[in-house]
Amino acid sequence: MRTPKEKIKDISEYELIVVGSGIKMGKWTSEADGFLKKFQKELGQKRLAIFVSTMKTVSEREGKTEDVARMRRAALEDKVAQYNLHPITLGFFGGVLDYNKMGSCSREPWAS
């Protein structure tokens, strides 16, 4: 596992590459998106798995299946199409809101 400060210069030695991102404000993190952009050509020749972590569980609990499908399409399927990738699998995982790590304006009214 690499830290965001480590710069990946070459992926030629890898047979399988797993790329994941959290979703912030409906978008991939810049590091993960930059990786896809930088290695777009090479990733097309590799076994690739892609996943995102998003707040889909909130919509799932509320029974908003159309919202979940829309989020999956935007976070995964549109991203794959944007870079013309052909991953062997896609993962769409629920995230967690940690109000202890968020600013006070992000807190739910009842959490104060």
Side-chain angles (χ1 to χ4, degrees):
M1 176 181 235
R2 298 193 185 261
T3 65
K5 293 184 184 200
E6 291 181 89
K7 300 295 180 193
I8 299 170
K9 297 180 177 128
D10 181 27
I11 61 171
S12 62
E13 68 184 88
Y14 302 102
E15 294 178 26
L16 170 66
I17 297 172
V18 179
V19 181
S21 178
I23 300 297
K24 295 180 181 180
M25 303 299 290
K27 297 183 181 208
W28 276 53
T29 62
S30 60
E31 294 88 356
D33 194 51
F35 180 86
L36 293 180
K37 184 176 183 179
K38 178 178 180 177
F39 293 108
Q40 177 181 358
K41 184 177 177 183
E42 293 93 333
L43 290 171
Q45 308 301 314
K46 302 280 184 182
R47 292 180 59 216
L48 173 66
I50 296 178
F51 73 91
V52 294
S53 177
T54 183
M55 291 311 302
K56 75 165 182 148
T57 54
V58 173
S59 292
E60 281 180 327
R61 274 196 316 268
E62 295 174 355
K64 298 177 180 175
T65 56
E66 290 178 17
D67 286 351
V68 174
R70 181 181 43 76
M71 284 186 280
R72 177 183 168 77
R73 194 170 36 256
L76 288 172
E77 296 163 16
D78 292 351
K79 184 61 64 179
V80 166
Q82 176 185 353
Y83 292 111
N84 194 30
L85 300 171
H86 305 284
I88 59 174
T89 191
L90 298 173
F92 190 61
F93 304 103
V96 174
L97 288 175
D98 185 345
Y99 293 111
N100 294 320
K101 293 183 180 179
M102 301 170 90
S104 60
C105 65
S106 301
R107 293 180 186 268
E108 295 293 339
W110 61 84
S112 302

